[in-house]
Amino acid sequence: MDFESMKMHIYDMQEDEQFYKKYYFARQQQYSLELFLSQLNMKDVLKRNLIVLEKPETMPEFFDDSFFFDMSNEESIAIQRHNRYSPSFIHKHTFFELIYVYDGKCTHEVSGKRLEMHTGDLCVIPPEINHTIECFNDDTLIFNVLIRKDTLHTIFRNFLSTNNALASFFLNNIYAKNANDFIIFHTGYDKVIKEAFLRMLWEYQNKERYYFQAISSTLMLCFYLLIRDYEDSIQVPEFAHRLDVQRYAVIKYIQDNYKNVTLNVLADKFHYTPEYASKIIKKATNMTYSEIILRVRIEKAQELLLNTNLSVSTIAEEIGYETTEHFIRQFKKYTKTTPAAYRKEHADLVLH
């Protein structure tokens, strides 16, 4: 199916949706539900990963990467149309999920908070967050974009290095425990955003040459448009208590000043003792100060190795190491490979 044909048929009811619609109406009466359940082909239900609330074996509380991604290759973005009428049940997953309401409305419950979403609303859910979506009508269309957490840096390095609310949201949910549960952008009937999600879905379904690069580039464009045009109206949960504010500020400062920051400088910046600053970091990230500095520096080095022609020695200096040898030792300790080998191995993933 070509792109224009897909657009014309985008509201067509898919096979799984037909199953869910029949199931939804069967659940309105006990006798019709019992009849529906008695006629189920459970082998087919399990093969298609369909959810049936009365069948616990169909309802995983936790979705790991392998449920949606082929772990034998480096594909790390999946795009789906959310199944209308699919039963609402609380679950969580290991990846980031973007929920975009292309048309219509739905109810999205995140960590017990009910959010009413309408056309153009885009909600980003980080890993390990309990949520569910209710969409029980023919006229609503929702897209789900799934992004593996462990490859986010590889795909969107340039974007994550910018200073904006969405990049901070991603970074804090990579480094910190219990960061914000969601972030929502209200884009209304923005035609460019709507077309972009259609294009990504088409690329993912057809998987023609360079489809992954096309999806990644289109999604990155969406990110930049979101922060340029809609950052002032984003919706995020309020910080629950003072420690949340402290944690966010400390992690953000480390991300911005990884090259030269020391624990004493960090503590002085926030008027803490070094011991208390260390405690805040450990509580926020489950890492020591030294561990998080190493992680941020190495991930910055990976970005420079893939997106610049800088020498290894120059990169070592850029990220705060006094000697190239020390940088190479630390890089190998963290990644199990040398900087030069990493650059060669991942060269094909670079998006120009």
Side-chain angles (χ1 to χ4, degrees):
M1 182 182 294
D2 63 30
F3 181 65
E4 292 303 320
S5 296
M6 187 198 77
K7 288 175 66 175
M8 290 178 60
H9 295 280
I10 193 66
Y11 289 91
D12 291 356
M13 193 70 65
Q14 306 297 314
E15 182 181 5
D16 287 353
E17 290 179 309
Q18 293 172 9
F19 172 90
Y20 283 133
K21 187 173 183 178
K22 182 179 179 181
Y23 174 41
Y24 172 77
F25 285 106
R27 296 188 81 236
Q28 306 308 306
Q29 299 289 339
Q30 184 62 34
Y31 77 90
S32 59
L33 175 60
E34 291 175 356
L35 178 61
F36 177 88
L37 295 174
S38 69
Q39 296 174 342
L40 278 181
N41 180 342
M42 284 305 298
K43 184 177 181 180
D44 182 60
V45 167
L46 293 170
K47 180 180 179 181
R48 291 161 59 187
N49 293 318
L50 297 171
I51 303 298
V52 179
L53 300 179
E54 292 75 15
K55 302 292 183 179
E57 65 269 32
T58 71
M59 296 175 55
E61 294 182 3
F62 190 82
F63 293 93
D64 62 21
D65 287 3
S66 63
F67 195 89
F68 293 100
F69 300 97
D70 181 357
M71 304 304 290
S72 66
N73 61 41
E74 294 180 320
E75 183 179 288
S76 51
I77 302 176
I79 298 95
Q80 305 173 334
R81 241 185 52 179
H82 181 81
N83 285 318
R84 290 165 287 188
Y85 295 97
S86 57
S88 174
F89 75 106
I90 299 295
H91 63 280
K92 57 185 176 180
H93 37 68
T94 55
F95 42 82
F96 285 92
E97 180 176 6
L98 279 62
I99 300 163
Y100 174 66
V101 183
Y102 179 85
D103 192 16
K105 61 182 179 179
C106 68
T107 300
H108 186 197
E109 182 177 321
V110 185
S111 298
K113 181 179 179 63
R114 290 179 69 83
L115 307 169
E116 298 299 325
M117 296 180 61
H118 300 84
T119 300
D121 287 350
L122 188 153
C123 181
V124 186
I125 302 295
E128 309 289 342
I129 298 298
N130 285 319
H131 72 117
T132 188
I133 298 175
E134 296 177 2
C135 174
F136 303 129
N137 63 76
D138 290 3
D139 299 326
T140 293
L141 200 59
I142 301 170
F143 295 156
N144 303 112
V145 179
L146 317 178
I147 309 173
R148 288 174 55 187
K149 177 180 177 179
D150 60 358
T151 58
L152 193 69
H153 267 287
T154 304
I155 310 169
F156 301 116
R157 291 181 185 279
N158 291 337
F159 177 78
L160 294 178
S161 66
T162 59
N163 185 21
N164 65 77
L166 183 55
S168 294
F169 174 85
F170 281 128
L171 289 170
N172 277 281
N173 276 287
I174 291 172
Y175 295 121
K177 300 183 299 179
N178 303 319
N180 277 340
D181 291 352
F182 64 85
I183 184 170
I184 296 180
F185 293 85
H186 304 288
T187 72
Y189 291 88
D190 189 311
K191 293 181 179 179
V192 176
I193 299 292
K194 289 171 75 72
E195 190 81 0
F197 274 86
L198 282 175
R199 174 62 66 176
M200 287 190 288
L201 180 64
W202 185 87
E203 292 286 353
Y204 187 76
Q205 290 179 344
N206 287 272
K207 290 183 168 58
E208 294 187 355
R209 190 181 183 193
Y210 298 125
Y211 78 94
F212 180 72
Q213 287 81 355
I215 291 171
S216 302
S217 298
T218 304
L219 188 54
M220 188 179 295
L221 171 63
C222 285
F223 287 166
Y224 282 116
L225 293 178
L226 288 171
I227 61 173
R228 187 188 70 185
D229 299 335
Y230 302 103
E231 188 170 26
D232 291 342
S233 61
I234 62 172
Q235 179 181 347
V236 294
E238 294 182 1
F239 288 117
H241 45 72
R242 185 169 179 266
L243 181 59
D244 288 331
V245 180
Q246 292 174 321
R247 180 197 66 234
Y248 178 87
V250 168
I251 299 305
K252 185 69 169 62
Y253 188 80
I254 291 173
Q255 292 165 2
D256 293 341
N257 299 276
Y258 63 88
K259 181 176 179 178
N260 300 310
V261 68
T262 66
L263 183 59
N264 286 335
V265 168
L266 180 70
D268 185 62
K269 167 70 179 178
F270 292 95
H271 308 291
Y272 301 149
T273 65
E275 292 76 19
Y276 185 74
S278 181
K279 183 179 178 180
I280 288 287
I281 293 167
K282 183 70 174 179
K283 190 171 184 65
T285 67
N286 206 29
M287 290 182 279
T288 66
Y289 167 79
S290 297
E291 288 170 341
I292 192 170
I293 286 292
L294 173 63
R295 178 171 176 176
V296 174
R297 283 180 173 177
I298 296 304
E299 289 177 349
K300 181 61 177 179
Q302 290 172 319
E303 174 189 339
L304 294 174
L305 287 165
L306 296 188
N307 293 289
T308 74
N309 293 319
L310 295 176
S311 66
V312 171
S313 60
T314 301
I315 290 174
E317 183 179 353
E318 283 289 316
I319 64 172
Y321 285 99
E322 293 184 359
T323 68
T324 304
E325 291 74 17
H326 186 208
F327 164 59
I328 293 174
R329 285 197 300 271
Q330 294 295 90
F331 190 94
K332 189 171 183 180
K333 177 182 177 181
Y334 188 85
T335 66
K336 311 303 180 186
T337 189
T338 65
Y342 179 87
R343 172 178 268 169
K344 182 177 180 181
E345 180 183 354
H346 292 83
D348 291 340
L349 293 179
V350 180
L351 298 178
H352 299 289

